[in-house]
Amino acid sequence: MVAGTSGTLTFYQEVFGGDLVLNTFADNGAADEPFADLIMHNMLTTEAGYTLMASDTPPGMEFTPGTNITISLSGDDAEDLRGYWERLAEGGTVAVPLERQVWGDEFGQLTDRFGTPWMVNISTAG
């Protein structure tokens, strides 16, 4: 992720809840570098058992937003997943609305305000 990962993960903490640990490059021995305040390692551990990890991209490393990953959330807790969907969609772009699909599940795709693509699938199988 680009500079600003702390803001991105803070947003995801607002979406999913949980504990967020942020460590800068300075915290890990690079205090004299121009990118010392960027995030080297961070981890969000949610109450629902999700773990998200990310880092900033320091100068010299290639980064192309939106082309490197898509995050998938799947499960059968419709209320929680719909709530995550709504919060992730705020300020983002919905590509496929979250609605019942031909295979019976609710599914949707969006790109959040930070350019990260998400797929959400709410299973109807028990």
Side-chain angles (χ1 to χ4, degrees), residues 75 98-107 121-125:
L98 183 63
E99 58 190 21
R100 181 126 0 248
Q101 301 297 323
V102 296
W103 62 88
D105 293 351
E106 286 182 58
F107 175 84
N121 191 84
I122 304 170
S123 176
T124 56

Side-chain angles (χ1 to χ4, degrees), residues 25-112:
F25 282 91
D27 295 334
N28 290 283
D32 296 330
E33 296 294 334
F35 52 86
D37 293 333
L38 296 181
I39 302 299
M40 183 175 187
H41 299 289
N42 64 37
M43 182 168 63
L44 173 63
T45 306
T46 72
E47 292 103 6
Y50 299 115
T51 300
L52 299 175
M53 300 173 74
S55 63
D56 286 321
T57 303
M61 290 184 70
E62 184 178 339
F63 175 73
T64 307
T67 63
N68 45 357
I69 65 166
T70 297
I71 300 174
S72 176
L73 292 175
S74 299
D76 59 6
D77 190 326
E79 183 177 341
D80 281 350
L81 289 164
R82 284 188 195 110
Y84 300 149
W85 171 268
E86 291 298 323
R87 291 188 297 273
L88 288 167
E90 291 174 13
T93 303
V94 173
V96 176
L98 183 63
E99 58 190 21
R100 181 126 0 248
Q101 301 297 323
V102 296
W103 62 88
D105 293 351
E106 286 182 58
F107 175 84
Q109 289 181 271
L110 63 84
T111 300
D112 70 25

